[in-house]
Amino acid sequence: MKNKFTSFTIICFLFYGNVLLKAQESEEILELKKKLSFSTPNNEKVKVYSDLANLYSDSKNIDSAIHYSQLSLPIYKKNNDTEQIGRANLFIANLFLQKNDLATGEKYLIESEKYLHKTENYEKRAMLNLLMARINTVYKKNDVSAKYFNEILKYYHDKRNFDKRFVMYSYQGLYINYFVQQDFVKGFASLRTYIDFVEKYYPESLYLAYKDAGTFFLTSRDNKKSLYYFQKASEIARKNRDQAQIVDIGMSLAMVYGETNQLELAKKELNVAKDYYESKNNKAGLASVFYYLSDIYSKEKDYDKAQDFAAKCIKLSSENDPLYDYYKNHKGNVELKKIMEDSIGLKNNQSKLSELSQLVNEQLKSLDHFSQSKTVVSPELFIQNYEVLHRAYAFLGDYPRSYSYLKKMHETKEETYGIEKMKALSSVQSETEVANERARIKLEEETKRIQLQKEIELKALRFEYEKKQAAAKTEEERKRLALEEDLKRKEIQIKFDEEQKAAALKYNQERNIARINQEKKDAIAKAELESSQNQKNIWAVGAGLSLLLLGFAGFSYNQKRKDNKKIAEEKKKSDDLLLNILPHEVAEELKEKGKTSAKHFDEVSVLFTDFVNFTANSERIGVQEVLNELNICFTEFDRIMEKYGLEKIKTIGDAYLAVSGLPVSDEKHAKNAVSAGLEILSYIQQRKKDNPNALDIRIGIHSGPVIAGIVGVKKFAYDIWGDTVNTAARMEQNSVLGRLNVSEATYKLVKDDFTFEHRGKIETKGKGAMEMYFVNQVSF
């Protein structure tokens, strides 16, 4: 098959139609416009302009979005607001790209560049560089394009703050940059880098990455690998139950079937796509399906059907459609082949020869249009046209011209698919396969080493703590040692898991070395065979570009802005959720390193609360009522903890556990804990006045050392251990209704800050008699 779409036309294809989707003006838009009817200061007016531009962009009313964005520019310039000038120009540039106006879009991008590169807004700078890179790829300024892509990668390596998806787009862009230049060797190397990055950091984008890989191997004539990657992409699409992707990759599979002469399979996939696009009234999708079907029937020499489908393509299109010239060129090729099919009748029919001459002239005009194009055009388009024109001029008796087009055809083929080029590609692929197999073997060895190291460390740990347990003098000391051993075991397991994960990520590109030599021989033999053929029936380098650049060139500022907002919201949700489970410092450590270590804190204060007669109250007023009351109280407790800097650890039924002085040490830990306890008592007293079903509470605090860390791998929780925790529980259990009971250790730390009632020594479970104090109030 011979898809001749280019990067430029795919950009236009993706932007095309946005201008046509005009929604009715929403109430929000009308309300904003009312504001403009009043005398409004410029700073307020520019905010309204910006909001209107965003709303119109969201509703696909591109012209109105451009209008209001342009109105904001003079105000930003008057205010000398460098960043906003740059951002507004970037926004307008992308709107023009959506209107298929690359020249105007580029003008605004250049203007944006003057301002944004003076700012520290690396998010917008990365977006700007990406759009500049893509436009320059389309304009065949590949060195300039590479410069912009590499600038984004430099931000990444310099650890600048911006969305790392731009890094993924840059790796993909560098690969495409080589791809459109037909540099298969460098293209293959860049493709591997791109796929590795996606597999490691953005597995949700693997569908497009595998589709890109399939397109590359289809274009470089390795149908076996092309099929492999298209099928991997198809598996992802089906797993996601994404019908649009299923249809899209089905068309890619049809390309491979067309190249391997499995034409009925190709038709089957295309007819599925046809039904889908008809159900969605997607004219652009239908046109591409009809184009491919036309090419299939042309390959079968059923030129009537091929011509019929080619005509349908054009009917679904228009002169404003960026693909219109490609459809016309294809239809011209089909018509030429059809008229030349009856070679005997053609030679003896002057009227038919005259018609052939007219068709040739029209095709020459079409070819000249592509020859003059400043944007990327697939070599396959020229190869196909040269081949048809060579035959046509032979029928017309103009043998010098026939020969010249035959020569052009072979020269373009050799330049694009020459044997030396294919050999170089095969060689680099083989070297990659060997390296991957070595990596696989190294992975196995590394896994064994890690496992052995883990077992040695665990045995050494067991031996060490067996000796300590034997020397322990009390049951409390033995419990502490058991706890310490358990924590260290968990640390060793986490360390092992992380090392194993790192090793797997590093060596996850596994290949079978037994296939390497045979695949290399097959590729060389195939290149030699194809270089001697008169026609290479491939569903085009351009097809590769059309599918590949579907994700590359259609990047939309508007969609990106919405994506960024959604990502920011989701990130905030996940961060908030994490902070609901872990202290801020621990959460940051976990996000940065992927793990946290248990830590020992010498001085903290542990606060325990417990509602009195909880079970009896549940039976008296009902479980739901008590649970509602519990929720109200615990919510207020959370606020109090935040006020005094305590870290909530957990709730255990109707008990509440918090700690002061970790994960960041605080010399006022005891004072803060007591202040929080007193405020809880004050709140409960007021609550009892307001609600007859309010619960009674008692509170206990003890100060001392604890161990703190994360428990578990799934549904993990941040927890604290040690004798201090047990003693704080005893303080709470030996308190009374509406009182805060503290230990002697806590009393000594805050005796000058509060007034106390000394209770003397009180017998406690498992700990004997202990000095206790009721806290009365703040000392004046």
Side-chain angles (χ1 to χ4, degrees), residues 15 93-102 105 109 131 135:
F15 292 145
N94 190 70
L95 292 171
F96 275 108
L97 294 183
Q98 292 184 56
K99 285 170 62 72
N100 311 325
D101 189 345
L102 266 69
L109 284 176
L131 291 176
I135 282 184

Side-chain angles (χ1 to χ4, degrees), residues 256-275:
V256 183
Y257 298 144
E259 281 308 298
T260 53
N261 286 315
Q262 301 176 76
L263 302 184
E264 291 306 314
L265 283 176
K267 288 180 193 176
K268 182 180 177 182
E269 293 287 355
L270 291 171
N271 282 320
V272 170
K274 172 178 168 291
D275 292 342

Side-chain angles (χ1 to χ4, degrees), residues 659-702:
V659 60
S660 177
L662 67 76
V664 177
S665 60
D666 185 351
E667 63 182 11
K668 295 182 179 179
H669 62 87
K671 183 178 179 181
N672 290 337
V674 172
S675 298
L678 290 174
E679 188 159 333
I680 288 175
L681 290 177
S682 177
Y683 168 76
I684 292 297
Q685 288 170 7
Q686 184 60 45
R687 183 74 185 158
K688 289 181 71 176
K689 293 178 183 178
D690 298 337
N691 183 1
N693 292 326
L695 303 169
D696 287 311
I697 198 171
R698 59 176 180 246
I699 305 174
I701 297 175
H702 175 61

Side-chain angles (χ1 to χ4, degrees), residues 107-163:
K107 183 185 79 172
Y108 277 97
L109 284 176
I110 291 169
E111 189 68 14
S112 175
E113 187 174 27
K114 293 178 186 176
Y115 294 93
L116 282 182
H117 279 195
K118 296 176 184 177
T119 74
E120 295 296 309
N121 191 334
Y122 286 94
E123 182 81 11
K124 297 301 180 187
R125 286 172 63 171
M127 188 182 298
L128 167 70
N129 286 336
L130 185 68
L131 291 176
M132 287 293 283
R134 289 175 169 178
I135 282 184
N136 279 285
T137 296
V138 173
Y139 284 145
K140 298 183 282 192
K141 298 177 182 178
N142 302 100
D143 291 341
V144 178
S145 177
K147 183 195 82 171
Y148 281 110
F149 283 131
N150 283 314
E151 183 70 14
I152 297 172
L153 297 180
K154 184 176 183 298
Y155 297 162
Y156 175 57
H157 295 307
D158 289 346
K159 301 188 184 309
R160 301 298 186 183
N161 185 28
F162 69 104
D163 189 340

Side-chain angles (χ1 to χ4, degrees), residues 40-41 76 167 187 191 195 214 220 248 290 318 374 376 443 537 546 582 629 631 639 714 737-738:
T40 312
Y76 289 140
V167 178
L191 175 65
I195 291 177
S220 59
D248 177 51
F290 290 152
S318 69
K374 294 181 180 179
V376 174
L443 172 61
N537 290 322
S546 73
L582 305 174
E629 182 65 14
N631 183 57
R639 184 196 66 77
K714 294 182 178 179
L737 298 183

Side-chain angles (χ1 to χ4, degrees), residues 417 419 422-423 521-533:
Y417 309 112
I419 185 170
M422 293 297 105
K423 280 183 176 180
K521 291 175 185 177
D522 291 345
I524 294 172
K526 179 171 58 178
E528 289 172 343
L529 176 63
E530 289 177 344
S531 67
S532 65
Q533 293 175 340

Side-chain angles (χ1 to χ4, degrees), residues 599-713:
K599 294 178 181 176
H600 181 272
F601 295 87
D602 289 324
E603 271 302 313
V604 301
S605 292
V606 177
L607 177 147
F608 254 112
T609 78
D610 190 28
F611 287 105
V612 182
N613 297 325
F614 181 83
T615 304
N617 280 315
S618 299
E619 294 172 353
R620 180 174 60 84
I621 62 175
V623 173
Q624 190 57 52
E625 182 65 25
V626 170
L627 289 178
N628 290 339
E629 182 65 14
L630 198 61
N631 183 57
I632 292 169
C633 291
F634 280 175
T635 301
E636 180 62 15
F637 292 6
D638 289 347
R639 184 196 66 77
I640 294 170
M641 295 307 109
E642 188 173 347
K643 176 180 176 180
Y644 292 100
L646 274 72
E647 195 65 48
K648 174 185 177 181
I649 300 301
K650 58 186 173 183
T651 58
I652 311 150
D654 60 323
Y656 188 103
L657 171 63
V659 60
S660 177
L662 67 76
V664 177
S665 60
D666 185 351
E667 63 182 11
K668 295 182 179 179
H669 62 87
K671 183 178 179 181
N672 290 337
V674 172
S675 298
L678 290 174
E679 188 159 333
I680 288 175
L681 290 177
S682 177
Y683 168 76
I684 292 297
Q685 288 170 7
Q686 184 60 45
R687 183 74 185 158
K688 289 181 71 176
K689 293 178 183 178
D690 298 337
N691 183 1
N693 292 326
L695 303 169
D696 287 311
I697 198 171
R698 59 176 180 246
I699 305 174
I701 297 175
H702 175 61
S703 303
V706 296
I707 295 169
I710 292 178
V711 180
V713 177

